[in-house]
Amino acid sequence: IIKSQVNALRSNHTLFASNAEHKLQVVIDISRDLGRTLEMQPLLQKLLEQLFQLFPQADRGLIILCDKDSYVPAAQLTRNPGSVSASLTNEVDPEDLPFSRTLIRRALEDGLSLLSEDVNRDLNMPHTETMMSLNLRTLMCVPLLGLDRQHLGVMQLDSSRAGNEFSQEDLELLTALGLQVSGVLENAKLHETLTPAERRRPEL
């Protein structure tokens, strides 16, 4: 009788899920990569790829940025069985990237990272039509706040699979990374406002 089985392929990141040393190395890699570029799109996409290493429970990752009074999907990552596939949101129909604006608004206005281990049964989750249509099992939503609590956006990881719930420890780790990402986003926004000559000045 086969009591249990473990995927022996290199793509099995769950082998490292409880390895603190591996998690620390990924966090260090994220911190290093965040400081390497101010180009928004490749930075956010790389970030999601690294978050999937830290959180093997995640089936989908989204980074939503604030643009005045609207929320704009900036990057997404989805995990297919046996692989991870990435795509930029400007190459995807926005209808294929549903997300709850109510949830995002709550995280940003309250300045709180949100965790749900069972979305459908969680009375604290907004049971809007969008949330119910996603059929999510578990999610984490972390606000990205700038100086004076300026709303920059959110990072969201979620999963529809039972038995892959995020934990309080996961939320604390993602929140700590969110603080770093917020600082980088502020610098990137400032960088985008500079003229080409001003951007070259530090390089010279």
Side-chain angles (χ1 to χ4, degrees), residues 33-93:
D33 290 341
L34 286 175
R36 281 182 171 176
T37 179
L38 290 175
E39 298 297 326
M40 190 80 72
Q41 203 68 293
L43 184 152
L44 296 180
Q45 204 64 46
K46 180 65 175 178
L47 171 64
L48 284 178
E49 292 171 8
Q50 292 168 317
L51 289 180
F52 266 45
Q53 293 185 50
L54 274 179
F55 305 105
Q57 311 98 309
D59 287 333
R60 184 180 73 148
L62 293 174
I63 296 181
I64 313 292
L65 299 182
C66 297
D67 183 13
K68 297 181 181 179
D69 295 327
S70 62
Y71 303 124
V72 181
Q76 73 145 355
L77 191 66
T78 56
R79 189 192 304 275
N80 295 322
S83 67
V84 173
S85 61
S87 59
L88 301 179
T89 54
N90 57 11
E91 300 173 351
V92 179
D93 188 336

Side-chain angles (χ1 to χ4, degrees), residues 57-59 135-139 157-161 164 166:
Q57 311 98 309
D59 287 333
N135 194 31
L136 298 179
R137 179 74 176 188
T138 183
L139 70 79
L157 297 178
D158 53 52
S159 175
S160 301
R161 293 173 292 159
N164 288 276
F166 297 112

Side-chain angles (χ1 to χ4, degrees), residues 138-153:
T138 183
L139 70 79
M140 295 189 293
C141 184
V142 171
L144 303 173
L145 301 170
L147 297 175
D148 301 322
R149 294 188 62 164
Q150 177 190 3
H151 294 178
L152 301 175

Side-chain angles (χ1 to χ4, degrees), residues 4 18 21 24 27 62 64 66 85 95 97 112 114 116 120 145 149 154 160-161 165 170 172 176 178 183 196-197 204:
S4 64
S18 60
E21 182 179 350
L24 177 59
V27 170
L62 293 174
I64 313 292
C66 297
S85 61
E95 295 298 322
L97 287 173
L112 295 174
L114 305 174
S116 179
N120 290 331
L145 301 170
R149 294 188 62 164
V154 301
S160 301
R161 293 173 292 159
E165 292 77 14
D170 293 329
E172 291 172 357
L204 294 174

Side-chain angles (χ1 to χ4, degrees), residues 116-130:
S116 179
E117 296 180 348
D118 192 337
V119 175
N120 290 331
R121 297 183 181 181
D122 194 336
L123 298 179
N124 293 316
M125 283 288 109
H127 291 134
T128 61
E129 184 177 346
T130 302

